[in-house]
Each structure stands twice: as C-alpha cells, then as structure tokens.
Amino acid sequence: MAIGRSGIVTLTTDFGTVDGYAGALRGAVLAAGRGATVVDVTHDVPARAVREGAFALRTAAPSFPPGTVHLAVVDPGVGSSRRLLVVVDHGNQRILVAPDNGVLSYLLDDASVFDAHAIDPSRFAAVSRTFHGRDVLGPTAGRIAAGADPSEFGPPAGEVIRLPPYREPVGKREGRILRADRFGNLVTTLQSVGGDAVVEVGGIQVRRRVGCYAELPVGEVGWCVGSLGLIEVAVRDGSAAERLGVREDAAVRLT
C-alpha cells in the first residue's frame, strides 16, 4: 500500500546547533526535495545516545500528519559497516530514514506492518565516510518527501536492530526506568494497572497518585500517568531522579 506524502521532513539528531552540521543536513534535505518543509524535532540528543534519540522520535512523530518523513541521525557507527535504512510504516502512514542502530525502535514498537530497505550508499556521489547524514540520509529523505519510492534506494533489509521495548504489556507489574527527562521525572516502562497502586523504585515506595504534577504539594514525591501512557514518578518543583538516586534501567515494581 503506497503512502502519500505530506511534504514534511522532521530532523532528530545529536548534532547540536553550534557546528553547522544541522544546517548542512537541512540543506541536503531541501536540495533533494525542493519545496519540502523541514521541521527540527531536536538537535540536542546527547552525543551518540541512540536510546535518547529513539525516545525523542517516539514522543514527536505521532503528532505529525500522515505521509511525513522522519529522519534521525544519531549515528556513532558512521562510516562503519552498519547499514542505513528506509522504513515504511504502513499502519501509521509514515516513512523513517535512519542508521540501523536501534534509533527507530520505539516507533517500530508501535508499528504493526512495516517494510525496511537498506540504502545503497554507492548510488550517491561524493559520500564522506564521516557525514552520511548530509550525503546519504538527508538526500534520501528529501527525495522521498518529493515522491520517490522508498524501495528504490536499496534491497529489502530483513531484520533491523531493535532496542528493548519502551513499554511493558498492559497488566505487567515489573519494569524499568526508561529515562529521566530534563525535569527529573522518571519515565517508566510500565502502564497503569488501574487503582492506586504503589510504585516501588530505588527501594522507596511511592504511594501518592495524582493526575498531573501540579497536584503534588511542593517537594512531595508522587506518580502519575504521563503523556505517553506510561507511569512517571515526579517531585513537585524538584527532581525525582536526584531524590530517589536512580538511573536508567533501574527496576520498578507495582505493588
């Protein structure tokens, strides 16, 4: 089933905005896809943090219209034998362009049917081994936004690299901390099981459930169901990550 094009290309990278790399990537997309609209999701993914890039994509991509091309360049393996991918997510009507290193994992967790193709870099002229974003991925995203068939960029890819799922099945009571956001909220992999369950993390039992952070008294620890449908532990006007002293992958349990 063919996917229409919205003409939008989103960018998610760890380039920052100081060195000009993000600008070069935007230029490559626009040069290949004249008339495309380029939207920066973020260029502030921590350097080489594939999982953080995957989370940023999962947070932002569902808000865009069908037919959007999502380009992610968090690529610590640039220049190596790792593959570059075009993935067509038929159910969610979006197209993904990225290295095959797991950065697409959290979007693919929500994809029922998708096709992946390995991009053939030899089809592109003057490819720098240190900047595949500008020389291969950006032009690929631009051309696809302009209507190119994703399958024309290379052969079927077969299995792609996946991170552990970002959420546990409904009803599961044991999971992990997925990440601490910039506010210090601890986003877990657990979904609500209903009622006023106790969230146990870092040896501390968090009993108070609220609908939003503002319902907590200042400085108090509590939990709520966040915007992605996942349980989050928070401290009102503070950092739950610092208060509880836990990091990514720490165990979480509902009792």
Side-chain angles (χ1 to χ4, degrees):
M1 179 176 63
I3 294 178
R5 304 292 192 274
S6 69
I8 298 171
V9 179
T10 75
L11 306 182
T12 300
T13 82
D14 59 353
F15 291 169
T17 55
V18 174
D19 298 307
Y21 301 137
L25 181 63
R26 287 174 61 88
V29 172
L30 291 168
R34 300 293 178 88
T37 298
V38 179
V39 178
D40 299 299
V41 169
T42 181
H43 296 293
D44 291 327
V45 173
R48 299 172 291 279
V50 171
R51 184 158 64 173
E52 287 291 308
F55 188 86
L57 278 171
R58 172 59 188 83
T59 301
S63 297
F64 284 84
T68 295
V69 179
H70 298 282
L71 169 58
V73 191
V74 181
D75 192 15
V78 64
S80 70
S81 60
R82 64 88 186 86
R83 300 182 302 176
L84 303 174
L85 300 176
V86 176
V87 178
V88 181
D89 177 353
H90 296 284
N92 293 302
Q93 292 287 289
R94 55 193 174 217
I95 301 167
L96 316 173
V97 180
D100 184 17
N101 60 11
V103 73
L104 300 179
S105 294
Y106 298 162
L107 285 182
L108 297 183
D109 285 348
D110 295 330
S112 57
V113 180
F114 65 89
D115 298 320
H117 290 264
I119 300 171
D120 181 359
S122 69
R123 301 185 184 189
F124 297 82
V127 175
S128 166
R129 289 189 62 186
T130 66
F131 205 172
H132 284 169
R134 178 195 66 193
D135 297 340
V136 179
L137 295 171
T140 297
R143 292 178 194 174
I144 292 173
D149 185 338
S151 66
E152 74 181 42
F153 292 91
E159 294 293 323
V160 301
I161 293 174
R162 302 283 289 271
L163 303 174
Y166 78 91
R167 65 182 176 191
E168 310 295 342
V170 174
K172 188 171 182 182
R173 289 179 171 267
E174 294 184 350
R176 68 187 195 282
I177 298 297
L178 182 64
R179 68 188 300 269
D181 69 16
R182 70 184 302 270
F183 300 102
N185 302 321
L186 296 171
V187 182
T188 79
T189 59
L190 293 173
Q191 302 181 68
S192 176
V193 296
D196 294 323
V198 176
V199 179
E200 185 176 308
V201 57
I204 297 173
Q205 291 189 331
V206 181
R207 297 181 178 277
R208 181 157 186 172
R209 177 178 184 174
V210 293
C212 64
Y213 314 117
E215 291 181 357
L216 286 169
V218 174
E220 185 168 326
V221 183
W223 68 272
C224 65
V225 178
S227 60
L228 296 182
L230 301 174
I231 289 175
E232 300 182 11
V233 177
V235 172
R236 170 73 186 273
D237 296 344
S239 169
E242 293 179 3
R243 174 76 68 84
L244 277 62
V246 298
R247 297 185 177 182
E248 291 178 353
D249 296 323
V252 181
R253 186 163 63 100
L254 302 181
T255 60

